[in-house]
Amino acid sequence: MPAALIGAASQPNEIDLRRIARRLTGRVRYRYVAPEVRPLAGGYQIVAPCCSRNIDAAGGVIDIARIEYDEAERRWNLYYKDHAGDCWSLFIHSQRLERVMDSLNEDPLRVFWQ
């Protein structure tokens, strides 16, 4: 983990990074791609190859989700990438990482796994 990401904050950390990566194996959509969980200040970013070609016609790696921990509110925030607007939008927040991961894995509205 880069030294710049290690400090007083509890996120990112190796344990939660592994928990997120392990929980991604339970996703409903695009089970044939290999997503990657990357640490970032305050949380994690999930990227994966764009096999549908809906976002990247060349099939390159695209942003799927961001998971951030809000220390002040003591909750997890799950964001999806608005590719048209090139910005992150809040999808759900919860005190439980498991609930956030369930929303990401189930994705009935197809906002993550496009």
Side-chain angles (χ1 to χ4, degrees):
M1 184 175 306
L5 297 179
I6 300 172
S10 65
Q11 299 298 332
N13 65 61
E14 194 66 32
I15 293 171
D16 286 329
L17 187 138
R18 289 181 185 185
R19 285 174 59 201
I20 291 167
R22 185 174 49 250
R23 289 291 303 263
L24 281 173
T25 62
R27 68 189 178 281
V28 174
R29 302 186 189 287
Y30 296 105
R31 295 188 49 81
Y32 46 85
V33 300
E36 179 184 349
V37 182
R38 297 176 178 170
L40 56 88
Y44 310 87
Q45 184 165 335
I46 300 164
V47 298
C50 182
C51 293
S52 70
R53 310 284 201 246
N54 291 334
I55 306 301
D56 183 343
V61 174
I62 62 168
D63 295 323
I64 303 297
R66 284 180 74 136
I67 301 171
E68 297 176 352
Y69 187 72
D70 183 330
E71 296 276 347
E73 297 290 329
R74 297 174 57 144
R75 69 181 187 194
W76 293 94
N77 296 320
L78 174 62
Y79 298 86
Y80 67 92
K81 182 68 178 257
D82 174 353
H83 293 279
D86 195 29
C87 62
W88 292 99
S89 297
L90 180 64
F91 184 75
I92 192 173
H93 58 83
S94 175
Q95 291 180 330
R96 297 184 59 237
L97 179 58
E98 292 78 14
R99 182 166 181 242
V100 166
M101 290 305 300
D102 287 346
S103 295
L104 175 59
N105 284 341
E106 293 166 10
D107 193 20
L109 302 175
R110 295 186 61 153
V111 296
F112 300 104
W113 305 100
Q114 301 176 33

